[in-house]
């Protein structure tokens, strides 16, 4: 689980510090910088996945998670002399065993400790290069930093008093730069006798990146039929294009899902159909093969108990748009981090409110962490209501209002109390509601007076 994120000089953000909850929501005006917060995490994820180890950051292409152009496009103010920096803090995966050796051989366990990574990159000698990479565990940290202004000469450091790196004799050469902005140089393990454990930090970071899943705001239109060759996708795709593949794979593998503790488990398709009914969209949903051994499937729905079955393409557009959201939340492994961008698009206000309940349910039942970027007042209000009803804790729901001031993005931490109230409600959060009501009343009164009523 992500605990916090710090950003420096990334797109609209001169600097930012975000504390994450089990559910974190970013709300605010258009082009204020909300999406950029998600884009940084996607940039780090696709850099980790890049096959070219020479890339410091993989800014992407049209087919990638994000396509950000060049360093000059993403650095704040397009200032090529500035550095982009970030820090992530996250909880150690329960299945990851990491130990730091000490001279006394007592060892230092990561149990109960949070991990942090800090990285700093910028242009030097016409190329994007790292300046520093640092991993921390509590007050313990290990870093590789450039020597003065050298672009290629780095040194390994630690400020710990109980531990010292032991250099192998006959290897006095400086280290190469960090790899892909998160890995220690390859020579580290060869130049030092006791540096192998540094790979455990890198593995923990890679597990964090692998646990991140994303669904974008623009989702594919429904199709009359879908071809499935038996694949098991990792997710539903950033446009929801693999949603049906995911449902069929989960159905084939007889995957079961539950609404929570001591709740009866449902077959995967049953769970999706359950929420479509709860959201008031349709009465029944299932996938069926058009003809045996064709590998062609149709999404069949029934809008009410008395209506005839029909294809998904023949009902309201909202069903096909919310379907990838539901499938992703139930398809990804437990304890995953799911990022949703404008999940409310094309949905009726009542469905938007219901979608908030889906998110809160999977956060608790599947231990997911959800990061949502949204313009939906109905989504926000339902989060507030569930906190007031004690269905969710204000400590686990973090809400931010993102705005732009003097061409710089600002994130205001909304203070949500135990009664579901936002104590520092920003002006014009969802427009001037009271101003609109006042203007309507004034216009109505004026017309009545003019008409002599």
């Amino acid at each position: 689980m992500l605990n916090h994120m710090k950003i420096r000089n990334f797109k609209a953000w001169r600097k930012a510090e975000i504390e994450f909850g089990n559910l974190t929501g970013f709300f605010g005006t258009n082009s204020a910088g909300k999406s950029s917060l998600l884009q940084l995490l996607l940039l780090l994820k696709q850099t980790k996945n890049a096959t070219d180890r020479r890339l410091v950051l993989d800014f992407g292409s049209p087919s990638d998670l994000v396509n950000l152009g060049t360093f000059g496009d993403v650095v704040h103010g397009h200032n090529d002399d500035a550095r982009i920096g970030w820090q992530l803090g996250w909880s150690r995966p329960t299945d990851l065993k990491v130990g730091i050796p000490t001279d006394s051989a007592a060892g230092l366990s990561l149990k109960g400790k949070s991990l942090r990574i800090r990285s700093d990159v910028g242009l030097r000698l016409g190329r994007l290069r790292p300046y520093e990479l640092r991993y921390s565990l509590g007050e313990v940290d290990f870093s590789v930093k450039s020597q003065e202004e050298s672009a290629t000469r780095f040194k390994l450091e630690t400020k710990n008093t109980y531990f010292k790196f032991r250099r192998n004799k006959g290897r006095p050469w400086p280290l190469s730069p960090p790899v892909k902005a998160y890995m220690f140089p390859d020579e580290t393990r060869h130049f030092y006798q006791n540096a192998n454990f540094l790979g455990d930090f890198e593995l923990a970071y890679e597990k964090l990146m692998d646990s991140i899943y994303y669904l974008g705001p623009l989702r594919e239109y429904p199709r009359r039929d879908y071809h499935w060759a038996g694949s098991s996708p990792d997710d539903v795709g950033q446009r929801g294009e693999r949603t049906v593949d995911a449902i069929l794979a989960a159905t084939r593998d007889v995957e079961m899902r539950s609404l929570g503790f001591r709740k009866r488990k449902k077959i995967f398709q049953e769970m999706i159909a359950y929420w479509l009914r709860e959201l008031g969209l349709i009465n029944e949903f299932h996938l069926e093969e058009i003809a045996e051994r064709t590998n062609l499937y149709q999404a069949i729905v029934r809008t009410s108990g008395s209506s005839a079955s029909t294809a998904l393409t023949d009902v309201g557009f909202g069903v096909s748009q919310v379907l990838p959201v539901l499938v992703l939340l139930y398809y990804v492994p437990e304890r995953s981090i799911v990022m949703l961008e404008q999940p409310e698009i094309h949905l009726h206000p009542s469905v938007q409110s219901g979608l908030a309940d889906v998110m809160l349910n999977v956060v608790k039942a599947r231990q997911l962490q959800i990061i949502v970027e949204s313009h939906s007042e109905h989504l926000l209000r339902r989060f507030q209501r569930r906190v007031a009803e004690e269905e969710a804790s204000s400590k686990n729901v973090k809400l931010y209002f993102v705005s732009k001031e003097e061409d710089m993005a600002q994130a205001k931490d909304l203070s949500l109390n135990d009664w579901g109230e936002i104590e520092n409600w920003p002006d014009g959060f969802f427009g001037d509601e009271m101003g609109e009501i006042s203007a309507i009343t004034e216009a109505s009164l004026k017309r009545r007076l003019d008409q002599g009523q």
Side-chain angles (χ1 to χ4, degrees), residues 219-229 236 239-245 248 285 287 290 295-301 310-315 317 320-321 323:
R219 275 147 250 155
E220 286 198 342
Y221 289 96
R223 302 203 299 266
R224 192 156 292 277
D225 55 65
Y226 298 86
H227 179 266
W228 181 57
V236 300
R239 295 176 60 92
E241 66 274 15
R242 296 193 290 268
T243 297
V244 169
D245 288 4
L248 291 170
F285 168 85
L287 297 174
I290 295 175
N295 291 341
L296 290 175
Y297 291 81
Q298 275 192 325
I300 304 298
V301 301
T310 187
L312 180 61
T313 51
D314 299 328
V315 298
F317 191 59
S320 64
Q321 296 303 287
L323 187 61

Side-chain angles (χ1 to χ4, degrees), residues 162-180:
Y162 68 90
F163 175 85
K164 291 183 179 180
F165 286 109
R166 294 194 296 272
R167 188 95 185 210
N168 286 321
K169 294 181 180 181
R171 297 185 183 271
W173 311 287
L175 295 172
S176 300
V179 179
K180 295 168 68 172

Side-chain angles (χ1 to χ4, degrees), residues 331-343:
Y331 185 73
V332 298
E334 291 188 357
R335 299 180 179 86
S336 295
I337 301 168
V338 176
M339 301 197 301
L340 302 172
E341 195 168 354
Q342 298 183 49

Side-chain angles (χ1 to χ4, degrees), residues 155-391:
K155 59 182 178 180
L156 188 64
E157 294 184 339
T158 178
K159 296 179 181 179
N160 309 312
T161 57
Y162 68 90
F163 175 85
K164 291 183 179 180
F165 286 109
R166 294 194 296 272
R167 188 95 185 210
N168 286 321
K169 294 181 180 181
R171 297 185 183 271
W173 311 287
L175 295 172
S176 300
V179 179
K180 295 168 68 172
Y182 78 89
M183 300 172 68
F184 289 96
D186 294 336
E187 304 99 326
T188 303
R189 283 76 165 174
H190 302 294
F191 289 4
Y192 295 88
Q193 300 175 22
N194 56 345
N196 285 337
F197 71 92
L198 295 176
D200 295 337
F201 287 101
E202 299 165 354
L203 178 59
Y205 175 84
E206 291 179 344
K207 282 180 172 287
L208 173 69
M209 291 296 108
D210 289 341
S211 72
I212 295 175
Y213 297 88
Y214 168 73
L215 180 62
L218 303 176
R219 275 147 250 155
E220 286 198 342
Y221 289 96
R223 302 203 299 266
R224 192 156 292 277
D225 55 65
Y226 298 86
H227 179 266
W228 181 57
S231 64
S232 297
D234 293 331
D235 55 23
V236 300
Q238 58 182 310
R239 295 176 60 92
E241 66 274 15
R242 296 193 290 268
T243 297
V244 169
D245 288 4
I247 297 174
L248 291 170
T251 302
R252 175 199 59 198
D253 298 339
V254 199
E255 294 191 19
M256 309 289 285
R257 297 292 185 264
S258 171
L259 290 169
F261 182 63
R262 291 185 176 178
K263 298 290 182 65
R264 184 183 70 84
K265 287 188 175 182
K266 302 176 184 291
I267 296 173
F268 192 89
Q269 282 197 51
E270 288 182 355
M271 181 62 75
I272 303 305
Y274 167 84
W275 278 115
L276 290 173
R277 286 194 299 271
E278 288 295 303
L279 294 173
L281 289 167
I282 55 176
N283 186 260
E284 292 182 19
F285 168 85
H286 69 277
L287 297 174
E288 65 179 35
E289 195 171 11
I290 295 175
E292 189 175 358
R293 296 183 180 180
T294 61
N295 291 341
L296 290 175
Y297 291 81
Q298 275 192 325
I300 304 298
V301 301
R302 190 193 300 269
T303 56
S304 67
S306 59
S307 64
S309 297
T310 187
L312 180 61
T313 51
D314 299 328
V315 298
F317 191 59
V319 180
S320 64
Q321 296 303 287
V322 77
L323 187 61
V325 180
L326 297 177
V327 174
L328 180 65
L329 292 175
Y330 279 97
Y331 185 73
V332 298
E334 291 188 357
R335 299 180 179 86
S336 295
I337 301 168
V338 176
M339 301 197 301
L340 302 172
E341 195 168 354
Q342 298 183 49
E344 74 278 2
I345 286 182
H346 300 299
L347 299 182
H348 185 272
S350 65
V351 181
Q352 295 179 32
S353 298
L355 192 56
D357 284 332
V358 180
M359 295 181 195
L360 291 170
N361 179 269
V362 295
V363 163
K364 184 182 296 185
R366 308 200 68 230
Q367 301 179 59
L368 298 185
Q369 183 178 29
I370 296 178
I371 302 171
V372 57
E373 182 267 306
S374 174
H375 296 283
S376 173
E377 180 179 3
H378 308 285
L379 206 65
L380 175 70
R381 294 297 192 187
R382 183 56 59 90
F383 292 149
Q384 291 181 260
R385 174 183 168 183
R386 294 310 185 213
V387 169
E389 295 172 342
E390 299 184 283
E391 295 294 323

